[in-house]
Amino acid sequence: MDDLAATNGTNTANGTNGVDGGAGSPAESRGSRAQPKTDKSEQTRALILETAMRLFQERGYEKTTMRAIATEAGVSVGNAYYYFSAKEFLIQGFYDRMTYEHAADARNRMAHTRDFSERLEIALASWLDTAAPYHEFSAQFFRTAADPNSSLSPFSNESHPARATAVELFREVLQGSELAPKLDAELVDLLPDVLWLYLMIVVLYWVFDRTPDTERTREFVRRSVPMAARVINLSRYRVFRPIVRDAKGLIQDFILPTIGKTAVK
């Protein structure tokens, strides 16, 4: 609360989320102002974000204040709030940046294969590699992210830019594979969201994994991907169509409506 008093009105930001797909640069966090894209403003924003990530690692999320972040970054508290209207939006900025980096890395890795199972495993393994430096303090704000009313929830409206980038990546995983033309068109449209939910299961397992280099999570990915690929492949056969339609209806009626800014078709 003491930090809020120092903002001098700068915490009424109205920035917009700029990523809805995989292209372009990472989106600004929802709490940041709509500001000119100058080199200096981008450098200041990145400095504040990187400083916050370092302090979260050193002191923990709860014990790190916006004032401390501003001091360490060498900017005023008001300037810190100019770019991020609350501490939680620093995490949103981190999510956006990491998701963008993950998507770029995964695209590069899977560029030379059309096998769906291989592409899916590459995308998931790429996420684990991208997130690895942040594993030690990931559990510190998992409590907040698990709150369905928190903007840090992966299902929230505020998390839409990062989620949209990830969903678009999984759309590319499928559509760039040999399997996509063989599947029902409606299923192809729905699967990217389902694969993102699969990633969320992997992330949950990863948060609590304390094995060296999160090897247990990596083994979970290696063993579960072929199973998921086989199930998706079987869905193209006529005998499984009724089950596929039931599953599709279940996902559309009960799962997708809980995800912020997800249109139900």
Side-chain angles (χ1 to χ4, degrees):
M1 296 299 294
D2 60 319
D3 283 342
L4 290 175
T7 64
N8 296 322
T10 59
N11 62 339
T12 56
N14 295 311
T16 57
N17 294 319
V19 170
D20 191 5
S25 61
E28 292 183 3
S29 61
R30 185 175 174 82
S32 60
R33 286 180 180 267
Q35 54 218 250
K37 295 294 185 180
T38 65
D39 288 344
K40 184 172 178 57
S41 69
E42 286 298 317
Q43 289 171 4
T44 302
R45 187 175 186 278
L47 173 63
I48 294 169
L49 184 58
E50 288 165 8
T51 302
M53 291 303 105
R54 176 171 57 81
L55 293 182
F56 291 160
Q57 288 178 294
E58 294 174 358
R59 306 178 185 181
Y61 176 74
E62 296 297 337
K63 294 181 180 180
T64 302
T65 65
M66 287 291 283
R67 185 179 298 279
I69 293 167
T71 299
E72 287 284 323
V75 301
S76 68
V77 176
N79 202 20
Y81 276 108
Y82 178 83
Y83 289 95
F84 300 95
S85 66
K87 187 170 69 171
E88 63 199 64
F89 291 118
L90 285 157
I91 301 299
Q92 288 296 338
F94 161 68
Y95 285 163
D96 290 343
R97 186 178 70 176
M98 195 185 80
T99 303
Y100 173 78
E101 291 172 355
H102 163 228
D105 179 67
R107 288 188 184 101
N108 183 58
R109 292 193 196 188
M110 66 184 183
H112 303 295
T113 179
R114 296 194 67 241
D115 181 83
F116 172 72
S117 182
E118 289 181 16
R119 290 171 69 85
L120 180 56
E121 183 172 345
I122 287 170
L124 296 175
S126 171
W127 189 93
L128 294 174
D129 291 339
T130 304
Y134 312 104
H135 182 254
E136 288 303 315
F137 74 101
S138 62
Q140 295 183 30
F141 43 78
F142 175 74
R143 290 197 309 267
T144 306
D147 180 354
N149 296 317
S150 170
S151 64
L152 294 183
S153 166
F155 298 92
S156 70
N157 285 337
E158 291 84 354
S159 295
H160 175 70
R163 186 172 58 250
T165 300
V167 169
E168 180 61 24
L169 172 64
F170 286 115
R171 192 177 308 281
E172 294 177 29
V173 168
L174 178 61
Q175 292 184 339
S177 74
E178 87 296 345
L179 183 59
K182 304 173 184 177
L183 298 178
D184 180 84
E186 286 187 317
L187 186 60
V188 169
D189 189 55
L190 182 66
L191 270 175
D193 287 291
V194 176
L195 294 175
W196 175 78
L197 291 170
Y198 177 22
L199 172 62
M200 291 300 98
I201 294 172
V202 172
V203 171
L204 179 61
Y205 198 94
W206 172 83
V207 167
F208 293 99
D209 186 358
R210 290 297 175 263
T211 58
D213 194 30
T214 58
E215 181 55 36
R216 194 166 179 83
T217 305
R218 295 177 184 276
E219 182 63 18
F220 173 75
V221 168
R222 284 191 289 266
R223 291 176 59 178
S224 63
V225 164
M227 293 173 58
R230 283 197 295 270
V231 170
I232 293 171
N233 186 53
L234 286 173
S235 70
R236 64 195 177 100
Y237 295 105
R238 186 178 301 275
V239 67
F240 293 104
R241 289 294 173 83
I243 298 175
V244 171
R245 283 195 296 269
D246 289 345
K248 177 176 179 291
L250 191 67
I251 292 168
Q252 287 187 320
D253 293 342
F254 293 97
I255 297 178
L256 294 187
T258 68
I259 303 176
K261 292 189 178 178
T262 297
V264 179
K265 299 179 180 179

